[in-house]
Amino acid sequence: MKKVTPVFLALLLTISCQKDPINIVDEANSNCTDCNIEITKDASRLELFDSNVNIIKSTYSKSSKIVADTIDLVLKAKLNPLIVNYNGREVLLNANHVAVRSNRVAVSYSIVGEPYGGAIDIIDIPKNKNVTLEGTLLIPDKDIDAVDFDSRTRLMFGGGLNVDLFPNANSSSFFEYYSLKGQTKKPKDFNLKKLFSFTERFGNKLNSIKDLYGTIIGSGGGNDGTIFIYNKKEKKVFLDQSNVMSGLFIFDTSVTKQNGNNVFIAVAYNNNSKELKAFYYDINSKTSDLSFKYEVSLGNWNLNVEAKHSIMAPKSNVLIVSLEQEGIGVFKLQETNGIENASLVQQVKDEILDPNNPDEVVNSFSYYKRVVYAAAGAGGILILPYSNKKLKLSYEYKVELPGESVNSTLRKNDNLVVGSTSGVWIFKMSKKN
């Protein structure tokens, strides 16, 4: 974990008492002269393939609409690791998150260990054409821990920064928003326009940002993190003022529909008691303001607060959570005597993870059309269809990447993008004719 500075600790009282939303100051800069971002493109990092990939059918599979003999999985490209010069030495950046929008991929990076430094790769995966590396945004003195698009040409990212090198920063966590347009011929053709940036106390870093149901949400990492909503129409950020997650490590956030309204969900962890909790908030449809509803316990688990985590709410009363070495948990929420509680209805563990290999863990997953695509570390990529009727995940098959540790996955349309210790893998997944 990055060191916590007294400067941003001193901001706790200020931010926690803040009642008004944060207004975004328009910083539009067509040349991005003050962005402190270097745009490069090392095309030699990209390897192109057109290779069929073996899908291993699970011995636990009984029947499913998704089975190995009806699916084509083709490796289209591999983007090799990103290495940068840091204080005169070559440093490997760690790919920690992938985002996909309209056949465009963003991959976020941070330096492994204590120094600050990050980057974002932008990859184009056009239909029926070769994958191309559009460009790489090198962002010194900032970790990029979260990234997403809200359109093909608008990029959001955030993370942690070195406050000693940014005297105007309010804290060590930041959020930035850019217009992104580029061609695939030369780095100079890759255009970046800064729309705004700000540093607020989300935690010691911004570890999550997502665009769900047209709502941009996220959370800060580390102890005493904060959740937020960004209203792009009003250009305002709404921070949670309830302090109900004070002292907890926020793992991930999501949005679900309940009675036609958007509901914000955050899962947070008490590293002392080892209790995992889910927190539910109403989202004001007009103002995007947050109103705390209730919290439920998801039980006690031995989890790593530094690992990447994922949650998904396929229904308003169901929550799917990654549990690292404990696999994946499916929880059902219900009200008893006016009190909300949660029960574990399924734990997928023994069938997906080798207990003798501690490197097989489920830190993160993505969810697409009722299928979970889990990053299982040394266990590869796990494919688990989900039944809303039975509230159950079915382990159908896996894709092995020998010698790799899979960090993240994301499925959109026919594209399956995977981040691992050796780079980024881009697959095409489709039904056989």
Side-chain angles (χ1 to χ4, degrees), residues 141-162:
D141 306 312
K142 294 179 181 179
D143 285 342
I144 311 302
D145 298 295
V147 66
D148 202 359
F149 296 99
D150 80 333
S151 71
R152 178 177 167 81
T153 59
R154 288 183 181 265
L155 180 72
M156 310 171 288
F157 61 84
L161 57 80
N162 187 341

Side-chain angles (χ1 to χ4, degrees), residues 39 104 122 134 152-155 178-184 187-193:
I39 301 175
R104 202 175 212 176
I122 305 296
E134 292 192 65
R152 178 177 167 81
T153 59
R154 288 183 181 265
L155 180 72
Y178 289 81
S179 172
L180 185 67
K181 295 181 180 180
Q183 300 175 12
T184 59
K188 68 179 182 180
D189 293 332
F190 192 87
N191 184 44
L192 190 67
K193 181 179 178 181

Side-chain angles (χ1 to χ4, degrees), residues 35-316:
C35 300
N36 196 29
I37 294 176
E38 178 185 358
I39 301 175
T40 66
K41 184 168 75 171
D42 181 4
S44 66
R45 290 176 54 212
L46 184 66
E47 297 181 75
L48 299 178
F49 302 89
D50 192 17
S51 307
N52 291 325
V53 177
N54 185 37
I55 299 176
I56 300 174
K57 183 71 173 180
S58 166
T59 57
Y60 289 85
S61 175
K62 294 180 180 179
S63 63
S64 172
K65 295 180 180 179
I66 301 180
V67 291
D69 58 2
T70 64
I71 292 292
D72 273 327
L73 186 66
V74 177
L75 175 62
K76 302 299 294 183
K78 165 89 181 300
L79 185 64
N80 290 314
L82 182 58
I83 299 175
V84 298
N85 186 289
Y86 181 84
N87 290 339
R89 59 190 178 91
E90 298 296 300
V91 177
L92 175 68
L93 294 187
N94 181 44
N96 52 40
H97 190 75
V98 296
V100 180
R101 179 67 65 94
S102 300
N103 294 330
R104 202 175 212 176
V105 178
V107 184
S108 64
Y109 296 86
S110 59
I111 293 179
V112 178
E114 202 60 30
Y116 285 88
I120 297 174
D121 277 323
I122 305 296
I123 307 165
D124 190 30
I125 47 176
K127 191 173 183 179
N128 300 323
K129 294 183 180 180
N130 285 337
V131 175
T132 57
L133 174 61
E134 292 192 65
T136 300
L137 314 182
L138 299 179
I139 309 170
D141 306 312
K142 294 179 181 179
D143 285 342
I144 311 302
D145 298 295
V147 66
D148 202 359
F149 296 99
D150 80 333
S151 71
R152 178 177 167 81
T153 59
R154 288 183 181 265
L155 180 72
M156 310 171 288
F157 61 84
L161 57 80
N162 187 341
V163 292
D164 294 332
L165 300 178
F166 295 91
N168 296 323
N170 294 327
S171 78
S172 64
S173 53
F174 73 95
F175 172 30
E176 299 186 1
Y177 196 85
Y178 289 81
S179 172
L180 185 67
K181 295 181 180 180
Q183 300 175 12
T184 59
K185 295 179 180 179
K186 298 178 181 179
K188 68 179 182 180
D189 293 332
F190 192 87
N191 184 44
L192 190 67
K193 181 179 178 181
K194 185 178 183 180
L195 300 179
F196 69 77
S197 64
F198 62 94
T199 56
E200 294 294 338
R201 194 197 168 276
F202 300 113
N204 69 341
K205 62 180 180 179
L206 187 77
N207 70 346
S208 174
I209 187 167
K210 300 176 182 178
D211 183 4
L212 296 173
Y213 302 111
T215 301
I216 296 174
I217 64 169
S219 64
N223 202 357
D224 273 331
T226 301
I227 61 174
F228 73 92
I229 286 182
Y230 168 58
N231 186 319
K232 57 186 177 182
K233 182 178 180 181
E234 300 294 332
K235 293 186 177 181
K236 294 180 179 180
V237 171
F238 295 83
L239 293 172
D240 172 34
Q241 305 297 327
S242 65
N243 290 325
V244 296
M245 284 180 280
S246 177
L248 304 181
F249 290 81
I250 302 175
F251 279 170
D252 196 19
T253 58
S254 189
V255 173
T256 188
K257 291 283 188 180
Q258 192 173 71
N259 299 323
N261 299 318
N262 286 351
V263 175
F264 188 110
I265 308 169
V267 168
Y269 184 66
N270 187 318
N271 203 29
N272 295 318
S273 68
K274 306 302 179 184
E275 185 179 19
L276 189 66
K277 289 185 175 182
F279 298 82
Y280 285 73
Y281 294 76
D282 279 327
I283 302 174
N284 188 303
S285 60
K286 294 183 179 180
T287 66
S288 296
D289 201 2
L290 290 167
S291 176
F292 176 67
K293 296 180 64 177
Y294 56 82
E295 65 181 74
V296 293
S297 175
L298 303 179
N300 289 66
W301 307 88
N302 184 22
L303 303 176
N304 177 10
V305 296
E306 295 298 321
K308 186 177 183 294
H309 299 85
S310 295
I311 66 171
M312 182 61 204
K315 295 175 65 175
S316 60

Side-chain angles (χ1 to χ4, degrees), residues 17-37:
C17 295
Q18 180 179 312
K19 295 182 179 180
D20 297 325
I22 303 169
N23 292 308
I24 300 302
V25 178
D26 191 350
E27 298 183 53
N29 184 332
S30 59
N31 297 319
C32 215
T33 54
D34 62 346
C35 300
N36 196 29
I37 294 176

